[in-house]
């Protein structure tokens, strides 16, 4: 399993942040050839490992084309890609998991994508807790997504169910939900 974790981290780095690090080229929607990814991985990946990471990852970070020949990250890009996601109507409440040390700046400035293209939100508290735990002691913030959408906020939902938006102004951020 450790090999799959390492493979997933490598794939995340290349497909979300720096394909040029291995000489990989993504198309405008973030897709790359599986064969090219494997060939440029310097022995870190095989086609079987790539397919296993896509199939078995609990976070479902990656997607394959229907024919299985191309791969992309579902979200989390710090490089410009157009995921081609249509606008979607969110549920009334979404959640954002973060660490306690970030709460003061979030309640002052709102949620911003920082180095990413989008702010990531989840539809359940458990996922938000898991995300927040990666950065320290977790805090889960309630986002009034329905109201934000009704007032002009645009939302998208990635292939793995993560909700995406460009920013969340302070007025739509509620208190700790967990």
């Amino acid at each position: 399993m450790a090999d799959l974790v390492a493979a997933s981290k490598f794939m995340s780095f290349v497909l979300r942040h720096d394909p040029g690090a291995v000489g990989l080229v993504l198309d405008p929607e973030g897709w790359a050839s599986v064969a090219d990814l494997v060939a440029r991985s310097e022995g870190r990946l095989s086609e079987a490992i790539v397919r296993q990471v896509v199939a078995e990852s609990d976070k479902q970070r990656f997607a394959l084309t229907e024919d299985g020949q191309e791969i992309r990250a579902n979200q989390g890009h710090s490089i410009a890609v157009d995921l081609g996601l249509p606008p979607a109507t969110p549920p009334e409440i979404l959640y954002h998991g973060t660490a306690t040390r970030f709460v003061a700046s979030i309640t002052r400035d709102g949620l911003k994508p920082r180095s990413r293209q989008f702010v990531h939100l989840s539809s359940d508290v458990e996922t938000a807790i898991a995300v927040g735990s990666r950065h320290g002691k977790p805090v889960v913030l309630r986002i009034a997504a329905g109201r934000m959408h009704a007032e002009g906020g645009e939302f998208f939902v990635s292939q793995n169910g993560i909700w995406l938006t460009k920013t969340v102004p302070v007025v739509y951020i509620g208190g700790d939900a967990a």
Side-chain angles (χ1 to χ4, degrees):
M1 189 62 172
D3 288 339
L4 287 183
V5 171
S8 180
K9 286 182 179 188
F10 175 76
M11 290 165 55
S12 287
F13 171 71
V14 171
L15 295 172
R16 292 164 69 179
H17 306 298
D18 194 359
V22 297
L24 188 68
V25 176
L26 306 181
D27 77 7
E29 294 181 343
W31 295 103
S33 158
V34 171
D36 200 17
L37 174 64
V38 170
R40 295 174 180 278
S41 73
E42 299 175 351
R44 292 182 182 111
L45 302 175
S46 67
E47 190 170 316
I49 287 174
V50 168
R51 295 186 188 291
Q52 189 175 359
V53 168
V54 172
E56 295 180 11
S57 170
D58 60 337
K59 295 177 184 165
Q60 293 296 295
R61 285 192 171 122
F62 310 102
L64 293 170
T65 52
E66 243 181 74
D67 66 4
Q69 299 303 302
E70 294 184 299
I71 186 169
R72 77 172 177 185
N74 283 324
Q75 85 279 327
H77 298 84
S78 61
I79 56 174
V81 298
D82 178 0
L83 296 174
L85 301 172
T89 302
E92 284 302 309
I93 301 295
L94 288 170
Y95 302 95
H96 180 76
T98 190
T100 55
R101 69 181 183 275
F102 300 127
V103 171
S105 68
I106 291 170
T107 56
R108 181 184 65 241
D109 302 328
L111 287 168
K112 300 184 184 296
R114 301 178 351 138
S115 65
R116 307 286 173 101
Q117 285 190 291
F118 293 101
V119 171
H120 295 185
L121 305 170
S122 63
S123 57
D124 62 274
V125 172
E126 295 76 21
T127 300
I129 290 171
V131 169
S133 296
R134 293 194 314 236
H135 305 288
K137 184 178 179 198
V139 172
V140 176
L141 302 172
R142 291 172 49 94
I143 309 302
R147 184 165 59 94
M148 183 175 150
H149 181 261
E151 294 173 2
E154 194 168 44
F155 290 84
F156 308 90
V157 62
S158 69
Q159 192 168 339
N160 62 348
I162 300 299
W163 285 87
L164 308 171
T165 189
K166 289 288 187 183
T167 186
V168 179
V170 173
V171 67
Y172 301 108
I173 302 173
D176 188 353

